[in-house]
Structures are given as C-alpha cells and as structure tokens.
Amino acid sequence: MSVTVAEQAALMEQETRLSESQPAVPGTVRPGGRTAKVRAAVLEATEDALAATGFHALNMDQVAAAAGVGKTTVYRRWGSPVGLVTDLLHDMADRSLPSADTGTLEGDLRANGALVLKTLTDPRMAAVFRAVIAAAACDEECADALRGFYRARLTEWAPVVVRAGERGELDRDTDALEVLRAISAPLYYRFMISREPLTPADADRAVDAALAAARAGVLATRPEG
C-alpha cells in the first residue's frame, strides 16, 4: 500500500519525538539516526528556499513540507526562520572545503581567492549568501552565526600564512586573518554593495594587493588598545 507525503511526515515526526527526551534549543541537534536525517532534510529545504526566494520569504510550514517533516518538529527544533538560518550557517561551516597547501604563499592565497570567487559567482550559492547576509543585517542571532561561519573559514585558512612565515616568505608577526580578509573584502564589496560582476581578474587583483600589503608589513599584528 502506498504512503502519502502527509503520512511520511507524520511518521518522521513521531520517530523524531521518540528520539528526543527534551525539546531542543532552536538549531541544535543530536547527531546520528533519524534526528540527523531530519536535520539534513530540513536544512536542504531551507537552503533551497533561501536560494529561490530569499530570507524574508522563508516560511517554516513550506520548509517542513519540502523536507517531508512534520511542521511541529520544525517549529519545536528550530523555533523560527532565524533558527533555520543559524543552523544552516553552522552546517555550511562544517561542510566547507579545507584550505590549500600548494607549497607557496602566493599559490595558497590564489586558491583562496579562487574559492571565494567560485562561491560568489555560483548562482545558487550567491543567492544563499545574499539571503543569509540580509538575515544577519536585521537579526543579531543571524549576525552571530554569520560571524561564526566566517571565523571558522578564516581559522581554517590561517595556517597558509603561518607556514609562509616559517618558510621566510613573510615576517612571522603577519596577521593571518587580516591577510585573508584583504582578499575577501573587495570581492564581497562588489558582490553585496556595488553589485558589480565578479571576474577572475578581480580575484587576482585582490590577491596581489593582499600579498603586497603582507610583504610590506602593513598587515602585521598590532597590539590591542
């Protein structure tokens, strides 16, 4: 006998309830089993919705239906569209590609610039990033999650600058995070502020500028205060 979408959602919701003894804080999950499958389905549906219609049109009921999950589960576990976006950012950080190790600072930074460019020019991911940045602009919880996402990405790539210092390509007191920010910043400016088309030449120019600044000591770590 065939099972309807509604019946599948009800079964999924019942199994999820059985796997949880207490309601979760929005966006938090226990790994493994049915809970992990529910989270994956809901976050995929959230990403699809953000790519299609943006943050302000994100609808919890529609996400639940697209994920094949009972809407009660989505409201209980994520609480709000903000909770969905926050957890999606955590998941995106976990899924991000590792940093490069080409053997030279220039090679590593060009790989970083190429990755940022690829992300921001991919039609789907560009729409998702515009949506989550818009969410962060109007909600502090989303802003915290977005800061966490970029902090995780910068931390992942920071060793490329540290290794360059160990090889003598840069002073050891070069601020690794500032070098990486110097690459991303002009690309994100074009992406979100001026809304100009992004090209490989833009990424190359950003890397050239970051390299020149780092080699000149402009991006050295500075004492606080």
Side-chain angles (χ1 to χ4, degrees):
M1 183 175 64
S2 62
V3 180
T4 67
V5 171
E7 289 171 335
Q8 290 176 341
L11 179 61
M12 216 171 184
E13 180 171 350
Q14 181 180 20
E15 291 179 347
T16 302
R17 285 177 176 175
L18 291 173
S19 71
E20 302 170 341
S21 58
Q22 297 292 334
V25 175
T28 61
V29 297
R30 295 175 181 173
R34 176 63 67 180
T35 299
K37 293 178 181 178
V38 168
R39 181 185 185 230
V42 168
L43 294 186
E44 182 178 3
T46 299
E47 189 174 295
D48 289 342
L50 290 174
T53 59
F55 171 69
H56 294 293
L58 188 60
N59 181 284
M60 301 279 282
D61 290 4
Q62 292 175 1
V63 167
V69 175
K71 63 183 180 180
T72 302
T73 293
V74 176
Y75 280 98
R76 183 177 63 251
R77 181 163 283 291
W78 285 275
S80 68
V82 168
L84 288 172
V85 173
T86 297
D87 197 27
L88 176 63
L89 283 164
H90 296 324
D91 184 62
M92 287 168 62
D94 291 340
R95 289 187 281 123
S96 295
L97 295 174
S99 62
D101 186 1
T102 66
T104 68
L105 176 64
E106 181 173 351
D108 291 345
L109 294 187
R110 294 212 182 278
N112 179 265
L115 179 59
V116 175
L117 178 70
K118 180 180 179 181
T119 300
L120 299 184
T121 55
D122 178 84
R124 175 183 172 84
M125 291 312 301
V128 170
F129 271 96
R130 284 199 174 97
V132 297
I133 291 171
C138 60
D139 185 273
E140 191 57 34
E141 185 180 347
C142 284
D144 286 341
L146 188 61
R147 279 192 291 271
F149 170 81
Y150 283 113
R151 185 166 52 248
R153 297 307 299 141
L154 291 171
T155 301
E156 169 67 29
W157 279 84
V160 306
V161 179
V162 175
R163 290 195 299 265
E166 293 170 348
R167 291 191 298 258
E169 294 182 75
L170 291 176
D171 289 341
R172 288 177 178 265
D173 66 349
T174 302
D175 190 321
L177 302 189
E178 287 303 312
V179 174
L180 296 165
R181 289 187 182 110
I183 296 171
S184 297
L187 301 180
Y188 272 92
Y189 177 87
R190 289 173 180 268
F191 175 69
M192 284 300 296
I193 305 302
S194 66
R195 302 297 289 264
E196 299 171 73
L198 281 167
T199 69
D202 297 319
D204 286 341
R205 187 180 300 109
V207 172
D208 289 342
L211 277 168
R215 288 166 176 164
V218 174
L219 302 179
T221 301
R222 297 182 179 180
E224 295 184 1

